[in-house]
Structures are given as C-alpha cells and as structure tokens.
Amino acid sequence: MREKKPDKKFYLVREDVLPEAMKKTIDAKALIDRGKVDSVWEAVQKVDLSRSAFYKYRDTVFPFHTVVKERLITLFIYLEDRSGTLSNLLTTVASTGCNVLTINQTIPLQGRANITLALNVENMEVDIEELLKRVRQLEFVEKVEVLGSGV
C-alpha cells in the first residue's frame, strides 16, 4: 500500500524577498505564456537564468493573479478621512472593470477610515497587481491589503 503524500502548503510572499532565480523563472514563464519566445532556452537566455534553475522552480512559483481561481477578492484599505475619498476609490476600482459586491466602512477615527471591499474581478480589464497599484497610488490611500480570495 502506497503512503499518502502530505498536502503541499502554499504561501503568499512579497516579491522583494524572493530569490533572484525565482523572480527570473516567473519572468521566463511570462515570456513563454505570451508567445514572446519560441522555447524555454530562448526564455532563460532573455532573463539570464540557467535552464536547471528554470526547471527547478517552474512548477513552484506563480504570480498571484494566476493562482486566483475564484473571481472574488477582498481588499482592506486604510483611507484618510477627506470628502470624496470613497467616491474616488470606487471610481478607480470601477475603471478597471471590477464589480463591487460589498462595501464596509468604519466610522472615521483620528482622520482615518477603514474600508473593506469585496470585488468580483471576473471582467477585470487589468491584472490584480495593476488594480492594487492604481489603488495604492491614490493620494488619500495609506495602505491596501489583500484579505483573501474565494467564493
């Protein structure tokens, strides 16, 4: 009787703490997926990575947006308490094609309000990283956290 292998654990890790070989593997996979290269050899050459490192990491590192199978995401956002901030935030989110499912806002305290947004990203026109970038660039946004994704 074969012994059952334990389930693999997954972690969400910030890009800046990944080893360079993992980052380059993600870049090489993106070149292949987008059809910018004709072979693994060409992809690893373009990103200056060894083929052995590529094959070591190719099935273990993925950009966040590729592993989000459900098309829902929940964001927790810290906003400065100023007139029009929620409206501007929602306009930015809507401009990406997201559909806002729920909005929860705390009562502003000490000049800050906390917003929780549940979004349907099924028809989003940009990837999740771009959505987060656009929200973080709003001058009244202090911090954005991805609370999770799921149904």
Side-chain angles (χ1 to χ4, degrees):
M1 180 178 240
R2 290 177 63 179
E3 189 176 313
K4 183 180 176 189
K5 290 184 179 182
D7 291 335
K8 303 283 186 201
K9 290 184 181 181
F10 289 86
Y11 299 92
L12 185 61
V13 179
R14 264 191 355 248
E15 178 185 32
D16 62 322
V17 299
L18 289 175
E20 203 59 36
M22 286 184 173
K23 292 180 202 177
K24 289 180 177 184
T25 299
I26 291 169
D27 293 341
K29 287 171 54 172
L31 289 171
I32 294 166
D33 291 344
R34 290 193 309 250
K36 301 286 184 182
V37 294
D38 294 324
S39 67
V40 169
W41 175 250
E42 189 178 348
V44 297
Q45 291 287 45
K46 283 193 180 237
V47 299
D48 190 30
L49 178 69
S50 71
R51 282 184 46 208
S52 63
F54 175 83
Y55 285 114
K56 178 179 180 179
Y57 295 122
R58 75 174 176 177
D59 295 325
T60 62
V61 295
F62 308 93
F64 180 69
H65 71 276
T66 63
V67 294
V68 177
K69 291 183 174 60
E70 299 82 15
R71 303 312 297 167
L72 304 177
I73 189 165
T74 304
L75 302 179
F76 189 73
I77 305 165
Y78 299 87
L79 297 178
E80 289 179 22
D81 181 27
R82 290 195 266 160
S83 178
T85 56
L86 181 57
S87 175
N88 288 336
L89 171 65
L90 294 175
T91 298
T92 299
V93 170
S95 73
T96 65
C98 290
N99 182 27
V100 177
L101 301 174
T102 64
I103 304 169
N104 294 304
Q105 179 178 355
T106 62
I107 295 173
L109 297 173
Q110 299 177 347
R112 179 194 293 163
N114 298 324
I115 309 291
T116 304
L117 288 180
L119 305 172
N120 179 333
V121 295
E122 185 173 353
N123 297 315
M124 190 164 59
E125 299 160 358
V126 298
D127 63 28
I128 291 171
E129 287 85 5
E130 179 64 23
L131 167 67
L132 296 174
K133 177 182 169 189
R134 290 182 189 183
V135 170
R136 287 182 179 121
Q137 286 177 340
L138 296 170
E139 70 179 58
F140 51 81
V141 171
E142 294 180 10
K143 186 175 181 182
V144 179
E145 296 177 17
V146 177
L147 292 183
S149 65
V151 183

